[in-house]
């Protein structure tokens, strides 16, 4: 049994808490939103994030940063929106320093790139955590919707990092009969796949919202995977990673699932709704919106062709009409595959 502290009480953080509790671990969850914490403490539920899920009494929820360290956690898990990761880490810095000696693994479930710096989430963690924890940083990704993990639906994921011993430790502590964890040392490839698939998922939603069919969706996912590979290769990722769980697996699942917030945004856009209206109606964050801007900036910096990403950027940030964006993709110059 391990002592585990989760920073972030959204849908994925809550699903992780439930999963790890089922694995007989001691779990404490910090959430910044005090109203959500009070609801979890009193009702043991948060229907806005996970419907029909009741959390056991011995999962500890708090809004007090110090309280998630009172059981001397061996595993730290970060599950906050990418735009807030650095400032969240900074707000915990003193506590991290005081408790670093007990920590065996740091697991990021955050997907995206940091604005302006364009750094991956594991790089942000490395800069803000005590140096002694750097070789313990890893990320977990794959086709894994929180709604299904919380219900024990069979799920396969991958944990990536530089230290094989840390990866094996996380693999053993997280795995159970319905949640199977693989390992890889290609953390660059895993994080890039996790980020870019959210952009392609928005595009998949647009395709569905416009009423297009399976031919269009199959083409979109195939060419979307090509964009993920191009960016990954430019950053020296292992090409094999993109055929795995954090590449093809996560891409397909996020693009076709009704659980996907990014697909939902794209679908609503395809149906004619304006982005501001869509976001006002959503409780949770669609990471792909911010990621589209950041990945677009990175691909421009690296001079990489990513036409789907470019069209989603024009749609989200410059008000391009969805049908025009899809039409312009079809009318690009013909070329070899």
């Amino acid at each position: 049994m391990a002592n585990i502290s989760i920073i972030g009480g959204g849908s994925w953080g809550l699903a992780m808490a439930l999963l790890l509790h089922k694995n007989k671990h001691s779990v404490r969850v910090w959430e910044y939103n005090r109203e959500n914490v009070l609801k979890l403490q009193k009702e043991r539920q948060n229907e806005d994030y996970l419907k029909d899920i009741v959390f056991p009494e011995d999962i500890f929820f708090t809004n007090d940063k110090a309280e998630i360290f009172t059981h001397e956690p061996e595993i730290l898990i970060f599950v906050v929106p990418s735009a807030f990761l650095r400032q969240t880490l900074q707000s915990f810095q003193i506590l991290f320093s005081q408790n670093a000696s007990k920590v065996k693994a740091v697991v990021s479930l955050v997907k995206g790139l940091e604005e302006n710096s364009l750094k991956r989430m594991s790089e942000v963690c490395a800069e803000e955590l005590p140096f002694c924890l750097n070789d313990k940083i890893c990320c977990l990704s794959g086709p894994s919707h929180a709604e299904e993990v919380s219900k024990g639906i069979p799920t396969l994921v991958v944990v990536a990092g530089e230290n094989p011993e840390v990866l094996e430790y996380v693999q053993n502590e997280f795995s159970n009969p319905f949640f199977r964890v693989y390992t890889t040392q290609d953390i660059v490839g895993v994080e890039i796949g996790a980020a870019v698939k959210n952009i392609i998922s928005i595009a998949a939603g647009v395709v569905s919202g416009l009423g297009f069919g399976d031919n269009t969706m199959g083409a979109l996912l195939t060419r979307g995977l090509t964009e993920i590979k191009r960016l990954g290769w430019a950053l020296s990722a292992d090409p094999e990673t993109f055929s795995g769980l954090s590449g093809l697996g996560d891409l397909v699942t996020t693009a076709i699932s009704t659980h996907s917030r990014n697909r939902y945004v794209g679908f609503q856009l395809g149906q004619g709704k304006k982005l501001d209206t869509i976001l006002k109606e959503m409780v949770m964050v669609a990471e792909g919106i911010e990621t589209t801007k950041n990945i677009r900036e990175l691909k421009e910096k690296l001079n990489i062709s990513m036409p789907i990403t470019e069209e989603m950027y024009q749609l989200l940030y410059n008000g391009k009409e969805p049908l025009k964006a899809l039409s312009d993709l079809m009318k690009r110059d013909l070329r070899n595959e």
Side-chain angles (χ1 to χ4, degrees):
M1 186 182 82
N3 294 331
I4 299 176
S5 291
I6 299 174
I7 296 175
S11 60
W12 200 202
L14 294 176
M16 276 290 108
L18 198 61
L19 166 78
L20 294 166
H21 176 269
K22 289 178 180 177
N23 287 7
K24 309 301 182 184
H25 299 308
S26 171
V27 181
R28 291 185 167 233
V29 180
W30 174 85
E31 163 60 26
Y32 85 99
N33 187 313
R34 181 149 182 79
E35 289 184 9
N36 286 345
V37 172
L38 290 173
K39 186 183 297 184
L40 288 162
Q41 290 173 338
K42 293 178 180 179
E43 302 172 15
R44 312 306 297 179
Q45 289 181 291
N46 190 328
E47 292 284 306
D48 289 335
Y49 290 147
L50 293 177
K51 292 186 180 300
D52 304 320
I53 297 295
V54 179
F55 295 91
E57 291 292 333
D58 52 344
I59 296 179
F60 186 87
F61 297 102
T62 183
N63 186 238
D64 184 329
K65 294 182 175 67
E67 286 186 338
I68 64 165
F69 290 94
T70 55
H71 68 162
E72 299 184 329
E74 294 143 304
I75 301 176
L76 292 174
I77 301 175
F78 301 122
V79 203
V80 298
S82 57
F84 303 114
L85 178 60
R86 189 180 293 275
Q87 67 186 67
T88 301
L89 293 172
Q90 290 173 346
S91 73
F92 277 89
Q93 275 186 339
I94 294 175
L95 289 164
F96 290 147
S97 297
Q98 293 172 344
N99 294 275
S101 62
K102 298 285 186 178
V103 176
K104 297 179 181 178
V106 175
V107 185
S108 168
L109 276 66
V110 188
K111 298 179 178 181
L113 299 183
E114 184 178 46
E115 188 176 11
N116 298 322
S117 77
L118 305 182
K119 290 181 177 177
R120 294 175 285 106
M121 297 296 99
S122 63
E123 293 178 304
V124 174
C125 288
E127 290 181 354
E128 299 298 339
L129 291 170
F131 181 76
C132 64
L133 294 180
N134 279 11
D135 72 334
K136 298 173 183 176
I137 296 170
C138 50
C139 72
L140 186 144
S141 189
S144 49
H145 288 302
E147 295 84 353
E148 296 191 1
V149 171
S150 66
K151 294 177 181 176
I153 292 173
T155 300
L156 279 66
V157 297
V158 60
V159 62
E162 297 178 358
N163 188 325
E165 292 181 2
V166 172
L167 297 180
E168 185 177 352
Y169 173 66
V170 172
Q171 181 182 47
N172 289 330
E173 300 303 326
F174 280 60
S175 293
N176 63 31
F178 68 85
F179 195 82
R180 182 175 174 85
V181 183
Y182 289 81
T183 66
T184 177
Q185 289 183 273
D186 183 22
I187 193 168
V188 175
V190 169
E191 289 189 300
I192 290 301
V196 182
K197 60 90 181 178
N198 282 334
I199 304 172
I200 309 305
S201 178
I202 293 174
V206 172
V207 165
S208 294
L210 288 170
F212 295 151
D214 295 340
N215 291 356
T216 316
M217 187 66 72
L220 174 75
L221 298 188
T222 303
R223 299 311 300 170
L225 184 60
T226 297
E227 294 196 11
I228 295 173
K229 288 179 177 180
R230 280 184 192 148
L231 184 58
W233 289 337
L235 297 171
S236 301
D238 181 351
E240 288 296 316
T241 298
F242 305 113
S243 298
L245 291 165
S246 64
L248 179 61
D250 205 5
L251 171 63
V252 171
T253 301
T254 309
I256 67 174
S257 174
T258 54
H259 295 309
S260 170
R261 299 189 290 273
N262 295 292
R263 183 189 185 279
Y264 173 82
V265 169
F267 182 85
Q268 295 298 320
L269 288 168
Q271 290 276 292
K273 277 194 176 182
K274 298 300 181 184
L275 183 59
D276 287 347
T277 303
I278 298 167
L279 296 180
K280 285 176 184 176
E281 295 172 351
M282 293 180 67
V283 175
M284 293 179 279
V285 175
E287 285 277 17
I289 297 171
E290 179 76 17
T291 297
T292 299
K293 179 175 65 175
N294 296 335
I295 292 291
R296 194 248 188 181
E297 186 176 342
L298 181 59
K299 67 101 172 170
E300 291 289 298
K301 181 179 178 181
L302 297 172
N303 194 28
I304 298 169
S305 173
M306 297 178 69
I308 299 172
T309 298
E310 180 63 32
E311 291 300 332
M312 290 305 100
Y313 174 81
Q314 296 301 332
L315 188 157
L316 292 168
Y317 289 95
N318 290 332
K320 190 169 186 176
E321 290 298 319
L323 186 58
K324 174 67 172 164
L326 269 292
S327 175
D328 285 351
L329 282 172
M330 290 296 292
K331 292 189 292 187
R332 295 171 62 239
D333 291 343
L334 300 178
R335 50 173 291 175
N336 291 332
E337 186 180 29

